[in-house]
Amino acid sequence: MHGFRFLTFNDYPFLFFTTLLIIVPSIGCSPSPQQQTRESRPNIIVILADDMGYSDIGAYGSEIETTNLDQLAGNGIRFRNFYNAARCCPTRAALLTGLYPHEAGMGGMVSGYNSTPEPGPYQGYLNEQCVTLAEVLKEAGYATYMSGKWHVGEKKAHWPRKRGFDRYFGLISGASSYFQLIENQPIIRQMVLDDDRWTPPEEGFYMTQSISDHAVDFLQRHFKADNKAPFFLYLAYTAPHWPLHALREDIKKYEHRYDTGWDAIREARYKKMLELGIIDSTYPLSPRSETVAPWEQVTDQENWARRMTVYAAMVDRIDQGIGQVVNTLKENKALNNTLILFLSDNGGSDENIEGRNLNNPKVEIGKKGSYVAYEEPWANASNTPYRKYKKWTHQGGIATPLIAHWPKGIRRQGAIENQYAHIIDIMPTCVELAKARYPDTFHEKSIKPMQGTSLTPVFEGNALPENRTLYWEHFGHRAVRQGDWKAVYAKNGDKTWELYQIADDPVELNDVSARYPDKVEELKNLYKKWAAEVGVK
């Protein structure tokens, strides 16, 4: 080493300054979430259908033509055992916050526009002890957009742009005409753009299409601005929720398809589900509901067939809108690194809600002025192979399709996933993928910890936590699942807990509570502890 010495600043000052400029920024300074571009983190789109049953799309057994969803399913993962929270408001709260609905203030339904509810688990709007997906992802540098139904806070202080969304279009409340503004209704039952009333054109307006169009517009503006930030889009359709309204061209596709009736449709769906692998031989087709007549005994078959024809057209139009969104991603070379999740807020609805003094019986079902529902007979078909409906905590009320599509990140294209998971898992999944931080405090308020678990292991073919315990409560309907055991309490049943071994009896046809009373007590005690923690009445 004779003759060697370290260079000093006095030897080459320019070299030292140049070297420092290169080295210093790299020491301990990985890019912040705001600095990471959409190439390093996925865009995220969550699509929620309203009152759509488990078997209502082609990839889950339906005869309805859902080409775009079927393609997403074929190139992604279909979850066989994914759960929502049994009804619209609680499900939306759980999806947006990663909490059980009661923890977010939405244990029941949304509070009225003019009401002053007591703060707490049933206050009827998102509380300040939760954060939304939009708030968390926005803090991580995401652009945040929403198009569709809100239904988790009707007063303006609780609207989407107050909960983290950069742009919003849609319906603040739960349901409305798909064709027109209903006179003498508050703004919450009108269409809203950002924070103001939006007046649709007098001709050519159809709510589902408008929700799709605005979602596409938000994305196009995002890409046109050369926005390097990734985006989060919450696309929450009102369809196929009551009232049965559809466009003429969509209805025409399904004319006479349902003339065979609900019994034949249930059988056909069941057979297709077996062929697709969505169900297997452990899933028998549940008996037709006792309160539904056999199709051959129905006297007004044309009326009932028309109802399902319109319902199918409504689902079809959702699928067309999803196709628009996918094409927008393709055009902007963003599909490969966009996670798309599709699910429903509850099972098919058996509600008869024609008595709202809106329906004109002289107007053909599906057209402006008609306000009918498809009711229990067709809801029974929508929820094939399960029993029960929206509001119930049996499988027919809480089981939903979940499609996950992400070419860059999902390595199991076309897989059907059997592990069970819950809508509270969407928040932790998004937080992980966005490299975001779920906060302990937000706006100086203490935030409740997430209840779910990330679904990302499933994307790579790995296991979720075993025997995790999940809970439900909605207006007295209760359930708890742990591993392959599920206990269910129906508010209007015989006031006893039922017990099912889901692995062997996934359709819940064989109540084994009398055989395993100790297991019933164990699950009941778990439920009681949880109910006390989250504030169930």
Side-chain angles (χ1 to χ4, degrees):
M1 301 265 318
H2 293 290
F4 177 86
R5 68 182 179 88
F6 287 98
L7 297 178
T8 68
F9 173 83
N10 292 327
D11 294 313
Y12 296 98
F14 175 77
L15 177 63
F16 269 75
F17 275 124
T18 304
T19 304
L20 284 171
L21 286 171
I22 295 171
I23 295 174
V24 170
S26 67
I27 299 176
C29 294
S30 59
S32 69
Q34 287 78 6
Q35 294 170 318
Q36 297 181 59
T37 68
R38 59 174 177 259
E39 280 71 38
S40 60
R41 296 182 293 166
N43 305 306
I44 299 170
I45 299 177
V46 177
I47 307 172
L48 188 67
D50 194 346
D51 281 11
M52 191 197 82
Y54 186 80
S55 68
D56 274 334
I57 59 175
Y60 278 74
S62 180
E63 69 293 330
I64 302 173
E65 298 173 24
T66 53
T67 306
N68 296 293
L69 280 168
D70 297 350
Q71 289 178 350
L72 293 177
N75 294 315
I77 296 175
R78 279 170 288 177
F79 285 71
R80 179 186 280 175
N81 292 295
F82 198 82
Y83 291 117
N84 51 44
R87 200 169 185 177
C88 45
C89 299
T91 288
R92 290 160 207 278
L95 185 156
L96 284 166
T97 67
L99 304 176
Y100 283 106
H102 308 76
E103 298 176 292
M106 290 297 304
M109 296 296 289
V110 72
S111 59
Y113 180 68
N114 295 315
S115 66
T116 306
E118 289 274 336
Y122 297 88
Q123 67 183 24
Y125 57 90
L126 295 181
N127 61 34
E128 294 181 332
Q129 288 71 54
C130 67
V131 283
T132 69
L133 274 166
E135 288 168 333
V136 173
L137 296 185
K138 189 172 184 176
E139 288 289 307
Y142 275 65
T144 56
Y145 310 112
M146 178 180 175
S147 186
K149 173 176 170 177
W150 180 237
H151 215 207
V152 286
E154 293 193 343
K155 293 185 178 179
K156 206 163 188 177
H158 309 137
W159 286 11
R161 278 168 47 85
K162 298 294 192 297
R163 297 307 308 241
F165 287 97
D166 296 324
R167 301 294 313 276
Y168 171 69
F169 171 81
L171 184 70
I172 294 295
S173 191
S176 183
S177 168
Y178 287 77
F179 290 122
Q180 62 186 4
L181 300 181
I182 303 175
E183 297 296 331
N184 303 317
Q185 293 290 319
I187 189 173
I188 58 164
R189 298 192 185 280
Q190 310 285 351
M191 302 304 292
V192 170
L193 180 60
D194 292 328
D195 295 315
D196 301 306
R197 187 190 305 271
W198 180 84
T199 303
E202 292 185 7
E203 298 294 332
F205 171 71
Y206 182 64
M207 188 189 299
T208 303
Q209 188 58 53
S210 193
I211 288 171
S212 298
D213 290 345
H214 279 83
V216 168
D217 179 64
F218 292 158
L219 295 184
Q220 293 285 29
R221 290 173 183 267
H222 180 90
F223 291 122
K224 187 174 182 180
D226 196 26
N227 194 332
K228 298 301 182 185
F231 67 80
F232 166 60
L233 169 65
Y234 176 35
L235 179 53
Y237 287 103
T238 53
H241 189 288
W242 170 93
L244 293 175
H245 283 168
L247 295 174
R248 182 183 304 171
E249 60 266 34
D250 296 335
I251 293 173
K252 189 174 182 180
K253 289 174 63 176
Y254 296 95
E255 286 180 346
H256 304 298
R257 191 169 299 194
Y258 296 98
D259 292 355
T260 57
W262 43 70
D263 292 325
I265 292 298
R266 290 186 81 228
E267 291 284 353
R269 288 191 177 189
Y270 179 72
K271 180 180 178 182
K272 183 178 177 182
M273 295 171 88
L274 287 170
E275 293 171 350
L276 291 171
I278 287 296
I279 61 175
D280 55 39
S281 59
T282 64
Y283 289 70
L285 177 62
S286 62
R288 182 197 322 106
S289 174
E290 294 177 358
T291 51
V292 174
W295 181 252
E296 63 269 17
Q297 295 179 13
V298 175
T299 56
D300 50 350
Q301 290 183 353
E302 184 177 349
N303 175 291
W304 282 104
R306 173 75 180 187
R307 294 180 190 225
M308 189 61 192
T309 297
V310 176
Y311 180 93
M314 296 172 78
V315 174
D316 190 306
R317 182 56 56 163
I318 290 175
D319 185 73
Q320 293 178 51
I322 292 169
Q324 290 179 250
V325 170
V326 170
N327 286 337
T328 301
L329 297 175
K330 288 179 179 177
E331 291 165 3
N332 290 279
K333 297 179 173 57
L335 180 62
N336 188 54
N337 198 26
T338 298
L339 170 65
I340 300 174
L341 300 173
F342 173 85
L343 69 162
S344 179
D345 63 351
N346 46 249
S349 173
D350 65 335
E351 296 169 326
N352 177 358
I353 46 181
E354 296 175 22
R356 294 190 175 179
N357 301 318
L358 291 171
N359 186 52
N360 183 346
K362 296 181 181 179
V363 175
E364 187 177 26
I365 293 171
K367 294 183 178 179
K368 181 168 62 177
S370 170
Y371 287 87
V372 303
Y374 79 159
E375 300 185 31
E376 184 182 13
W378 285 117
N380 197 195
S382 282
N383 294 337
T384 302
Y386 298 122
R387 299 186 299 126
K388 304 302 183 183
Y389 317 98
K390 171 185 179 178
K391 300 190 299 289
W392 295 72
T393 53
H394 290 77
Q395 297 290 91
I398 60 176
T400 174
L402 176 68
I403 295 170
H405 181 274
W406 180 24
K408 185 176 180 180
I410 290 178
R411 316 210 188 291
R412 306 173 58 215
Q413 283 84 357
I416 295 175
E417 177 55 55
N418 196 51
Q419 297 182 85
Y420 66 96
H422 192 281
I423 200 163
I424 56 174
D425 299 335
I426 289 179
M427 169 70 89
T429 303
C430 295
V431 167
E432 179 182 349
L433 294 177
K435 298 180 174 64
R437 185 184 71 85
Y438 184 88
D440 297 320
T441 59
F442 190 74
H443 292 169
E444 300 181 347
K445 302 289 184 180
S446 179
I447 301 301
K448 296 175 182 177
M450 288 184 290
Q451 292 285 2
T453 186
S454 175
L455 300 174
T456 56
V458 176
F459 299 166
E460 299 174 355
N462 297 322
L464 295 173
E466 288 188 25
N467 295 325
R468 60 186 298 215
T469 309
L470 299 174
Y471 303 93
W472 293 263
E473 189 277 334
H474 183 64
F475 290 151
H477 294 295
R478 313 164 197 170
V480 53
R481 177 170 178 176
Q482 187 179 65
D484 289 332
W485 293 100
K486 184 183 173 193
V488 183
Y489 179 98
K491 177 184 176 182
N492 47 349
D494 58 8
K495 306 300 181 185
T496 62
W497 283 82
E498 303 162 10
L499 181 67
Y500 299 100
Q501 294 175 300
I502 295 296
D504 301 322
D505 181 25
V507 184
E508 298 174 327
L509 298 181
N510 302 302
D511 176 10
V512 295
S513 57
R515 195 187 313 168
Y516 300 101
D518 291 345
K519 178 58 70 172
V520 174
E521 286 302 310
E522 178 187 342
L523 295 178
K524 279 173 59 178
N525 289 334
L526 286 173
Y527 173 85
K528 288 177 182 178
K529 182 176 183 293
W530 169 82
E533 290 173 352
V534 302
V536 171
K537 289 183 180 178

PDB file of all heavy atoms in Angstrom, residues 43 53 105 107 156 161 197 258 263 272 325 363 380-381 398 408 411 414 430 432 436 443 488 523 525:
ATOM      1  N   ASN A  43     -53.654   0.152  -8.645  1.00  0.00           N
ATOM      2  CA  ASN A  43     -54.933   0.833  -8.533  1.00  0.00           C
ATOM      3  C   ASN A  43     -55.917  -0.156  -7.909  1.00  0.00           C
ATOM      4  O   ASN A  43     -55.748  -1.372  -8.028  1.00  0.00           O
ATOM      5  CB  ASN A  43     -55.444   1.252  -9.911  1.00  0.00           C
ATOM      6  CG  ASN A  43     -54.440   2.088 -10.666  1.00  0.00           C
ATOM      7  OD1 ASN A  43     -53.958   3.100 -10.183  1.00  0.00           O
ATOM      8  ND2 ASN A  43     -54.109   1.636 -11.872  1.00  0.00           N
ATOM      9  N   GLY A  53     -78.346 -11.654  -5.662  1.00  0.00           N
ATOM     10  CA  GLY A  53     -78.176 -12.954  -5.048  1.00  0.00           C
ATOM     11  C   GLY A  53     -76.905 -13.679  -5.443  1.00  0.00           C
ATOM     12  O   GLY A  53     -76.216 -13.312  -6.405  1.00  0.00           O
ATOM     13  N   GLY A 105     -70.902   2.671  13.725  1.00  0.00           N
ATOM     14  CA  GLY A 105     -72.129   3.440  13.897  1.00  0.00           C
ATOM     15  C   GLY A 105     -73.270   3.022  13.006  1.00  0.00           C
ATOM     16  O   GLY A 105     -74.290   3.709  12.920  1.00  0.00           O
ATOM     17  N   GLY A 107     -74.947  -0.227  12.914  1.00  0.00           N
ATOM     18  CA  GLY A 107     -75.479  -1.536  13.265  1.00  0.00           C
ATOM     19  C   GLY A 107     -76.859  -1.786  12.705  1.00  0.00           C
ATOM     20  O   GLY A 107     -77.287  -2.925  12.555  1.00  0.00           O
ATOM     21  N   LYS A 156     -75.312  16.332   5.117  1.00  0.00           N
ATOM     22  CA  LYS A 156     -74.207  16.728   4.246  1.00  0.00           C
ATOM     23  C   LYS A 156     -72.844  16.583   4.932  1.00  0.00           C
ATOM     24  O   LYS A 156     -71.834  16.322   4.285  1.00  0.00           O
ATOM     25  CB  LYS A 156     -74.415  18.165   3.779  1.00  0.00           C
ATOM     26  CG  LYS A 156     -73.744  18.472   2.460  1.00  0.00           C
ATOM     27  CD  LYS A 156     -74.295  19.742   1.830  1.00  0.00           C
ATOM     28  CE  LYS A 156     -73.754  19.920   0.414  1.00  0.00           C
ATOM     29  NZ  LYS A 156     -74.338  21.109  -0.258  1.00  0.00           N
ATOM     30  N   ARG A 161     -67.494  13.172   0.192  1.00  0.00           N
ATOM     31  CA  ARG A 161     -66.323  14.053   0.125  1.00  0.00           C
ATOM     32  C   ARG A 161     -65.877  14.539   1.503  1.00  0.00           C
ATOM     33  O   ARG A 161     -64.779  15.077   1.634  1.00  0.00           O
ATOM     34  CB  ARG A 161     -66.595  15.228  -0.817  1.00  0.00           C
ATOM     35  CG  ARG A 161     -66.377  14.812  -2.277  1.00  0.00           C
ATOM     36  CD  ARG A 161     -66.897  15.812  -3.284  1.00  0.00           C
ATOM     37  NE  ARG A 161     -66.535  17.186  -3.044  1.00  0.00           N
ATOM     38  CZ  ARG A 161     -65.399  17.777  -3.437  1.00  0.00           C
ATOM     39  NH1 ARG A 161     -64.492  17.053  -4.094  1.00  0.00           N
ATOM     40  NH2 ARG A 161     -65.183  19.037  -3.199  1.00  0.00           N
ATOM     41  N   ARG A 197     -76.571  19.152  -5.916  1.00  0.00           N
ATOM     42  CA  ARG A 197     -77.596  18.458  -6.679  1.00  0.00           C
ATOM     43  C   ARG A 197     -77.209  18.406  -8.153  1.00  0.00           C
ATOM     44  O   ARG A 197     -76.719  19.380  -8.724  1.00  0.00           O
ATOM     45  CB  ARG A 197     -78.935  19.186  -6.524  1.00  0.00           C
ATOM     46  CG  ARG A 197     -80.111  18.446  -7.150  1.00  0.00           C
ATOM     47  CD  ARG A 197     -81.356  19.341  -7.171  1.00  0.00           C
ATOM     48  NE  ARG A 197     -81.698  19.847  -5.855  1.00  0.00           N
ATOM     49  CZ  ARG A 197     -82.488  19.229  -4.998  1.00  0.00           C
ATOM     50  NH1 ARG A 197     -83.025  18.058  -5.319  1.00  0.00           N
ATOM     51  NH2 ARG A 197     -82.762  19.755  -3.818  1.00  0.00           N
ATOM     52  N   TYR A 258     -87.768 -16.470 -18.903  1.00  0.00           N
ATOM     53  CA  TYR A 258     -88.218 -16.903 -17.582  1.00  0.00           C
ATOM     54  C   TYR A 258     -89.640 -17.455 -17.595  1.00  0.00           C
ATOM     55  O   TYR A 258     -90.249 -17.630 -16.537  1.00  0.00           O
ATOM     56  CB  TYR A 258     -88.065 -15.741 -16.584  1.00  0.00           C
ATOM     57  CG  TYR A 258     -86.613 -15.371 -16.434  1.00  0.00           C
ATOM     58  CD1 TYR A 258     -86.067 -14.296 -17.147  1.00  0.00           C
ATOM     59  CD2 TYR A 258     -85.763 -16.143 -15.651  1.00  0.00           C
ATOM     60  CE1 TYR A 258     -84.720 -13.987 -17.045  1.00  0.00           C
ATOM     61  CE2 TYR A 258     -84.413 -15.852 -15.545  1.00  0.00           C
ATOM     62  CZ  TYR A 258     -83.893 -14.771 -16.250  1.00  0.00           C
ATOM     63  OH  TYR A 258     -82.551 -14.486 -16.157  1.00  0.00           O
ATOM     64  N   ASP A 263     -88.875 -22.645 -10.506  1.00  0.00           N
ATOM     65  CA  ASP A 263     -88.395 -24.001 -10.204  1.00  0.00           C
ATOM     66  C   ASP A 263     -87.375 -24.456 -11.249  1.00  0.00           C
ATOM     67  O   ASP A 263     -86.314 -25.004 -10.908  1.00  0.00           O
ATOM     68  CB  ASP A 263     -89.563 -24.980 -10.159  1.00  0.00           C
ATOM     69  CG  ASP A 263     -90.488 -24.726  -8.977  1.00  0.00           C
ATOM     70  OD1 ASP A 263     -89.983 -24.335  -7.908  1.00  0.00           O
ATOM     71  OD2 ASP A 263     -91.708 -24.889  -9.128  1.00  0.00           O
ATOM     72  N   LYS A 272     -75.600 -25.843 -13.385  1.00  0.00           N
ATOM     73  CA  LYS A 272     -74.468 -25.079 -13.922  1.00  0.00           C
ATOM     74  C   LYS A 272     -73.425 -24.819 -12.833  1.00  0.00           C
ATOM     75  O   LYS A 272     -72.213 -24.862 -13.102  1.00  0.00           O
ATOM     76  CB  LYS A 272     -74.962 -23.765 -14.523  1.00  0.00           C
ATOM     77  CG  LYS A 272     -73.861 -22.936 -15.177  1.00  0.00           C
ATOM     78  CD  LYS A 272     -74.407 -21.661 -15.812  1.00  0.00           C
ATOM     79  CE  LYS A 272     -73.290 -20.806 -16.391  1.00  0.00           C
ATOM     80  NZ  LYS A 272     -73.791 -19.539 -16.968  1.00  0.00           N
ATOM     81  N   VAL A 325     -65.643   0.226 -17.722  1.00  0.00           N
ATOM     82  CA  VAL A 325     -64.530   0.524 -16.821  1.00  0.00           C
ATOM     83  C   VAL A 325     -63.294  -0.274 -17.229  1.00  0.00           C
ATOM     84  O   VAL A 325     -62.181   0.264 -17.306  1.00  0.00           O
ATOM     85  CB  VAL A 325     -64.932   0.207 -15.364  1.00  0.00           C
ATOM     86  CG1 VAL A 325     -63.719   0.281 -14.443  1.00  0.00           C
ATOM     87  CG2 VAL A 325     -66.024   1.166 -14.891  1.00  0.00           C
ATOM     88  N   VAL A 363     -98.988   0.702 -15.659  1.00  0.00           N
ATOM     89  CA  VAL A 363     -97.707   0.807 -16.358  1.00  0.00           C
ATOM     90  C   VAL A 363     -97.039  -0.563 -16.386  1.00  0.00           C
ATOM     91  O   VAL A 363     -96.988  -1.265 -15.369  1.00  0.00           O
ATOM     92  CB  VAL A 363     -96.784   1.828 -15.671  1.00  0.00           C
ATOM     93  CG1 VAL A 363     -95.405   1.840 -16.323  1.00  0.00           C
ATOM     94  CG2 VAL A 363     -97.415   3.216 -15.709  1.00  0.00           C
ATOM     95  N   ASN A 380     -85.655 -16.533  -4.000  1.00  0.00           N
ATOM     96  CA  ASN A 380     -85.324 -17.924  -3.722  1.00  0.00           C
ATOM     97  C   ASN A 380     -84.446 -18.510  -4.835  1.00  0.00           C
ATOM     98  O   ASN A 380     -83.518 -19.293  -4.580  1.00  0.00           O
ATOM     99  CB  ASN A 380     -86.613 -18.723  -3.575  1.00  0.00           C
ATOM    100  CG  ASN A 380     -86.431 -20.060  -2.898  1.00  0.00           C
ATOM    101  OD1 ASN A 380     -87.300 -20.910  -2.947  1.00  0.00           O
ATOM    102  ND2 ASN A 380     -85.307 -20.283  -2.234  1.00  0.00           N
ATOM    103  N   ALA A 381     -84.724 -18.110  -6.074  1.00  0.00           N
ATOM    104  CA  ALA A 381     -83.893 -18.555  -7.203  1.00  0.00           C
ATOM    105  C   ALA A 381     -82.552 -17.831  -7.227  1.00  0.00           C
ATOM    106  O   ALA A 381     -81.510 -18.442  -7.503  1.00  0.00           O
ATOM    107  CB  ALA A 381     -84.642 -18.329  -8.520  1.00  0.00           C
ATOM    108  N   ILE A 398     -76.223 -13.830   3.683  1.00  0.00           N
ATOM    109  CA  ILE A 398     -74.883 -13.254   3.868  1.00  0.00           C
ATOM    110  C   ILE A 398     -73.825 -13.780   2.906  1.00  0.00           C
ATOM    111  O   ILE A 398     -72.714 -13.245   2.861  1.00  0.00           O
ATOM    112  CB  ILE A 398     -74.390 -13.452   5.317  1.00  0.00           C
ATOM    113  CG1 ILE A 398     -74.309 -14.938   5.670  1.00  0.00           C
ATOM    114  CG2 ILE A 398     -75.278 -12.697   6.294  1.00  0.00           C
ATOM    115  CD1 ILE A 398     -73.725 -15.208   7.056  1.00  0.00           C
ATOM    116  N   LYS A 408     -51.342  -8.611 -12.506  1.00  0.00           N
ATOM    117  CA  LYS A 408     -49.968  -8.498 -12.014  1.00  0.00           C
ATOM    118  C   LYS A 408     -49.767  -9.195 -10.671  1.00  0.00           C
ATOM    119  O   LYS A 408     -48.666  -9.676 -10.377  1.00  0.00           O
ATOM    120  CB  LYS A 408     -49.585  -7.021 -11.883  1.00  0.00           C
ATOM    121  CG  LYS A 408     -48.130  -6.795 -11.479  1.00  0.00           C
ATOM    122  CD  LYS A 408     -47.764  -5.325 -11.461  1.00  0.00           C
ATOM    123  CE  LYS A 408     -46.307  -5.121 -11.043  1.00  0.00           C
ATOM    124  NZ  LYS A 408     -45.947  -3.684 -11.019  1.00  0.00           N
ATOM    125  N   ARG A 411     -51.754 -14.949  -8.891  1.00  0.00           N
ATOM    126  CA  ARG A 411     -51.050 -16.001  -9.606  1.00  0.00           C
ATOM    127  C   ARG A 411     -51.919 -17.233  -9.828  1.00  0.00           C
ATOM    128  O   ARG A 411     -51.435 -18.249 -10.289  1.00  0.00           O
ATOM    129  CB  ARG A 411     -49.791 -16.407  -8.830  1.00  0.00           C
ATOM    130  CG  ARG A 411     -49.012 -15.213  -8.291  1.00  0.00           C
ATOM    131  CD  ARG A 411     -47.542 -15.475  -8.202  1.00  0.00           C
ATOM    132  NE  ARG A 411     -46.798 -14.439  -7.520  1.00  0.00           N
ATOM    133  CZ  ARG A 411     -46.593 -13.209  -7.976  1.00  0.00           C
ATOM    134  NH1 ARG A 411     -47.128 -12.855  -9.117  1.00  0.00           N
ATOM    135  NH2 ARG A 411     -45.888 -12.328  -7.302  1.00  0.00           N
ATOM    136  N   GLY A 414     -58.332 -18.115 -12.592  1.00  0.00           N
ATOM    137  CA  GLY A 414     -59.355 -19.121 -12.795  1.00  0.00           C
ATOM    138  C   GLY A 414     -59.637 -19.982 -11.583  1.00  0.00           C
ATOM    139  O   GLY A 414     -60.473 -20.889 -11.651  1.00  0.00           O
ATOM    140  N   CYS A 430     -56.557  -3.816   1.129  1.00  0.00           N
ATOM    141  CA  CYS A 430     -56.197  -2.579   0.423  1.00  0.00           C
ATOM    142  C   CYS A 430     -55.067  -1.842   1.123  1.00  0.00           C
ATOM    143  O   CYS A 430     -54.173  -1.287   0.466  1.00  0.00           O
ATOM    144  CB  CYS A 430     -57.423  -1.683   0.292  1.00  0.00           C
ATOM    145  SG  CYS A 430     -58.731  -2.365  -0.748  1.00  0.00           S
ATOM    146  N   GLU A 432     -52.646  -3.122   2.866  1.00  0.00           N
ATOM    147  CA  GLU A 432     -51.385  -3.812   2.585  1.00  0.00           C
ATOM    148  C   GLU A 432     -50.890  -3.525   1.179  1.00  0.00           C
ATOM    149  O   GLU A 432     -49.720  -3.179   0.970  1.00  0.00           O
ATOM    150  CB  GLU A 432     -51.556  -5.317   2.781  1.00  0.00           C
ATOM    151  CG  GLU A 432     -50.288  -6.105   2.472  1.00  0.00           C
ATOM    152  CD  GLU A 432     -50.463  -7.609   2.619  1.00  0.00           C
ATOM    153  OE1 GLU A 432     -51.497  -8.059   3.153  1.00  0.00           O
ATOM    154  OE2 GLU A 432     -49.550  -8.344   2.181  1.00  0.00           O
ATOM    155  N   ALA A 436     -50.091   1.462   2.705  1.00  0.00           N
ATOM    156  CA  ALA A 436     -50.664   2.545   3.488  1.00  0.00           C
ATOM    157  C   ALA A 436     -50.495   2.257   4.975  1.00  0.00           C
ATOM    158  O   ALA A 436     -50.106   1.164   5.384  1.00  0.00           O
ATOM    159  CB  ALA A 436     -52.142   2.716   3.146  1.00  0.00           C
ATOM    160  N   HIS A 443     -57.652  12.962  12.514  1.00  0.00           N
ATOM    161  CA  HIS A 443     -58.297  14.233  12.855  1.00  0.00           C
ATOM    162  C   HIS A 443     -58.489  14.360  14.368  1.00  0.00           C
ATOM    163  O   HIS A 443     -59.534  14.788  14.853  1.00  0.00           O
ATOM    164  CB  HIS A 443     -59.639  14.385  12.125  1.00  0.00           C
ATOM    165  CG  HIS A 443     -59.487  14.542  10.645  1.00  0.00           C
ATOM    166  ND1 HIS A 443     -60.541  14.467   9.777  1.00  0.00           N
ATOM    167  CD2 HIS A 443     -58.396  14.765   9.860  1.00  0.00           C
ATOM    168  CE1 HIS A 443     -60.122  14.633   8.534  1.00  0.00           C
ATOM    169  NE2 HIS A 443     -58.808  14.812   8.571  1.00  0.00           N
ATOM    170  N   VAL A 488     -76.647 -20.041  14.224  1.00  0.00           N
ATOM    171  CA  VAL A 488     -77.538 -19.030  13.666  1.00  0.00           C
ATOM    172  C   VAL A 488     -78.759 -18.882  14.569  1.00  0.00           C
ATOM    173  O   VAL A 488     -79.347 -19.883  15.007  1.00  0.00           O
ATOM    174  CB  VAL A 488     -78.008 -19.410  12.241  1.00  0.00           C
ATOM    175  CG1 VAL A 488     -78.877 -18.311  11.657  1.00  0.00           C
ATOM    176  CG2 VAL A 488     -76.819 -19.680  11.341  1.00  0.00           C
ATOM    177  N   LEU A 523     -70.309 -21.364  21.148  1.00  0.00           N
ATOM    178  CA  LEU A 523     -70.465 -20.320  20.142  1.00  0.00           C
ATOM    179  C   LEU A 523     -71.364 -19.196  20.644  1.00  0.00           C
ATOM    180  O   LEU A 523     -71.123 -18.014  20.342  1.00  0.00           O
ATOM    181  CB  LEU A 523     -71.020 -20.924  18.853  1.00  0.00           C
ATOM    182  CG  LEU A 523     -70.091 -21.920  18.147  1.00  0.00           C
ATOM    183  CD1 LEU A 523     -70.768 -22.490  16.899  1.00  0.00           C
ATOM    184  CD2 LEU A 523     -68.754 -21.277  17.775  1.00  0.00           C
ATOM    185  N   ASN A 525     -71.575 -18.156  23.692  1.00  0.00           N
ATOM    186  CA  ASN A 525     -70.767 -17.345  24.605  1.00  0.00           C
ATOM    187  C   ASN A 525     -69.796 -16.447  23.847  1.00  0.00           C
ATOM    188  O   ASN A 525     -69.557 -15.298  24.248  1.00  0.00           O
ATOM    189  CB  ASN A 525     -70.015 -18.243  25.583  1.00  0.00           C
ATOM    190  CG  ASN A 525     -70.935 -18.889  26.600  1.00  0.00           C
ATOM    191  OD1 ASN A 525     -71.994 -18.353  26.916  1.00  0.00           O
ATOM    192  ND2 ASN A 525     -70.549 -20.056  27.114  1.00  0.00           N
TER     193      ASN A 525
END
